[in-house]
């Protein structure tokens, strides 16, 4: 089955960024593979994918592949940026 072209992805509009010193824009990665990982701190399925993402980031960062994590909080405490930062450090999540 052929997939319909849905056009360009909407630009990222984050106001808070972690693991980067500047906001990222999808337009900056034209011609590269960009993996957007939508995740949340307390999601067990997200937790189980993190070893694969850590490995991919370590091997492919700077080689035409960019991984960007989009934290999408589901619970009130997941909105706390300090909570998310601590989780990312504890679980060695280095991608932006």
């Amino acid at each position: 089955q052929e997939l319909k072209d849905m056009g360009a992805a909407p630009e990222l509009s984050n106001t808070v960024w972690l693991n980067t010193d500047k906001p990222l824009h999808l337009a900056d990665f034209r011609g590269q593979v960009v993996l957007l990982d939508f995740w949340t701190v307390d999601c067990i399925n997200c937790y189980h994918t993190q070893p694969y993402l850590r490995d991919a980031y370590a091997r492919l960062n700077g080689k035409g592949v960019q991984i960007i994590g989009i934290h999408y909080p589901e619970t009130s405490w997941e909105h706390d940026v300090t909570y998310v930062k601590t989780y990312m450090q504890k679980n060695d999540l280095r991608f932006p």
Side-chain angles (χ1 to χ4, degrees):
Q1 178 178 1
E2 189 172 324
L3 299 176
K4 180 180 174 186
D5 184 344
M6 302 299 286
E11 191 52 76
L12 302 172
S13 60
N14 303 43
T15 56
V16 176
W17 284 90
L18 304 176
N19 292 344
T20 182
D21 57 352
K22 63 180 180 175
L24 301 181
H25 304 281
L26 292 178
D28 296 338
F29 300 105
R30 293 252 188 269
Q32 297 182 45
V33 173
V34 178
L35 185 153
L36 298 176
D37 176 42
F38 290 84
W39 69 287
T40 187
V41 170
D42 290 331
C43 169
I44 191 67
N45 294 320
C46 301
Y47 176 78
H48 287 297
T49 65
Q50 289 168 1
Y52 303 101
L53 294 168
R54 276 192 301 272
D55 178 61
Y57 186 72
R59 287 184 300 110
L60 302 172
N61 186 42
K63 297 179 181 175
V65 176
Q66 179 64 49
I67 298 173
I68 301 172
I70 310 290
H71 184 258
Y72 205 83
E74 294 179 330
T75 60
S76 59
W77 59 86
E78 290 176 321
H79 287 268
D80 180 354
V81 175
T82 302
Y83 182 70
V84 177
K85 282 183 188 179
T86 301
Y87 178 90
M88 290 176 69
Q89 290 170 347
K90 179 181 171 187
N91 290 281
D92 197 30
L93 300 178
R94 297 180 183 195
F95 47 87

